Amino acid sequence: MTNERERSEAPTGNVALVTGASRGVGRGIALGLLAAGFRVYGSGRSIDQADLPRELRRVRCDHLKDEETARVFDVIRSECGSLDLLVNCAWGGYEKMVEGGAFTWPAPFWDQPAHRWTGMMDAGVRAAFVCSAHAARMMTPRHRGLIINISFWSAQRHLGNTIYGIAKAATDKMTSDMAVELKPFAVPVISLYPGLVRTESVLAAAESGAFDLSTSESPEFIGRVINALFHDPNLLARTGQVLIAAAVAKEFGVLDIDGSSPPALTLADIPFEG
């Protein structure tokens, strides 16, 4: 356990936890927040092997296991005493997309493997709910904090498969209802939609022509957007809303790491399926 002397000598600054920070969007968010001056904690099953700066505090966690999730918050409480920002990015929905040589991702719901529900609903939605409950216990006494749930357009239109839509729609509804209960404590909750993000998997797919990266975003971009939201003095007025990261960036003048301004996608830009 960290004693009071160690805590007083710990680095100052706003404390953030990014779940699912080992790779992809979560890793990018962690890097973006670290560059913005946050003291960042990153959790994930493979966080110890992740390509992350030494300044980022790694806490290995399988968010399918509640006791491991509780430990993450115990570590933050012990080392910092408070938590200012939670970004729920843990997500197992993109694992094992190809099985036995078959691409099972777009299969109809009756042919979907059972693990996809676990990866999206349990490792995604349920993990976000449990983490948010822990965070709320730390934030509400201080009347300070922000919870961000990473979501996507599949909440509003069929994309890929039915479970994907269920998971993201549940995330947006969870955001809306949590916001009602947290608003009296001045803790906003936001659902944030990224665009096409140049994650490791997207870059690999782009080599085969699967994606046009001309309007894509770096993984760090959404971390920059979250930093801008965190410092918005009128943020509580947005609580419970679904926000598009690129639209928020334009509002606050946030640029990507290459100086570009990614376009804000709308529902009309998302390919319709079904």
Side-chain angles (χ1 to χ4, degrees):
M1 299 291 287
T2 303
N3 60 37
E4 291 303 318
R5 174 180 171 81
E6 290 171 332
R7 182 182 297 168
S8 67
E9 295 176 352
T12 58
N14 293 308
V15 179
L17 168 62
V18 182
T19 70
S22 302
R23 59 184 182 274
V25 173
R27 176 180 176 273
I29 291 171
L31 291 175
L33 293 175
L34 197 64
F38 282 81
R39 184 178 183 187
V40 181
Y41 286 73
S43 67
R45 287 173 298 177
S46 57
I47 196 73
D48 290 337
Q49 293 76 47
D51 179 18
L52 290 164
R54 60 178 297 181
E55 294 84 1
L56 186 140
R57 177 70 160 90
R58 306 164 190 240
V59 187
R60 189 195 175 282
C61 176
D62 180 350
H63 284 288
L64 286 171
K65 300 177 180 178
D66 289 351
E67 65 276 13
E68 293 191 14
T69 297
R71 177 180 171 271
V72 174
F73 289 87
D74 287 342
V75 168
I76 295 172
R77 188 178 293 106
S78 173
E79 295 180 355
C80 302
S82 61
L83 178 66
D84 301 293
L85 170 63
L86 168 65
V87 183
N88 284 311
C89 202
W91 172 255
Y94 297 138
E95 298 175 356
K96 296 188 285 188
M97 296 177 76
V98 177
E99 299 176 275
F103 183 49
T104 60
W105 174 270
F109 71 87
W110 57 90
D111 287 333
Q112 285 286 330
H115 70 76
R116 191 150 292 138
W117 180 275
T118 301
M120 294 185 181
M121 296 298 295
D122 296 337
V125 181
R126 187 180 185 280
F129 178 87
V130 173
C131 286
S132 296
H134 282 287
R137 295 182 193 113
M138 298 178 71
M139 294 174 177
T140 53
R142 302 170 63 223
H143 284 238
R144 172 180 169 80
L146 169 62
I147 297 173
I148 297 284
N149 294 319
I150 301 301
S151 191
F152 198 59
W153 288 106
S154 54
Q156 304 178 40
R157 172 168 286 181
H158 184 277
L159 291 173
N161 62 69
T162 295
I163 306 174
Y164 190 32
I166 294 171
K168 296 308 183 183
T171 297
D172 289 356
K173 177 60 173 172
M174 178 173 65
T175 293
S176 176
D177 285 4
M178 284 181 175
V180 172
E181 298 178 6
L182 284 171
K183 190 170 184 179
F185 300 93
V187 176
V189 190
I190 300 292
S191 270
L192 194 60
Y193 287 11
L196 177 60
V197 182
R198 296 188 296 275
T199 62
E200 301 90 339
S201 59
V202 167
L203 288 174
E207 292 181 359
S208 63
F211 293 111
D212 175 6
L213 300 181
S214 61
T215 60
S216 63
E217 306 165 358
S218 74
E220 294 89 346
F221 175 67
I222 197 165
R224 293 184 169 197
V225 172
I226 291 171
N227 174 58
L229 280 171
F230 181 84
H231 290 97
D232 177 12
N234 299 313
L235 180 59
L236 193 60
R238 304 177 191 258
T239 192
Q241 296 180 13
V242 169
L243 301 179
I244 313 305
V248 174
K250 292 184 185 302
E251 179 182 349
F252 289 104
V254 175
L255 300 178
D256 208 336
I257 57 174
D258 60 359
S260 65
S261 179
L265 300 180
T266 67
L267 191 59
D269 298 315
I270 306 301
F272 178 73
E273 296 185 17

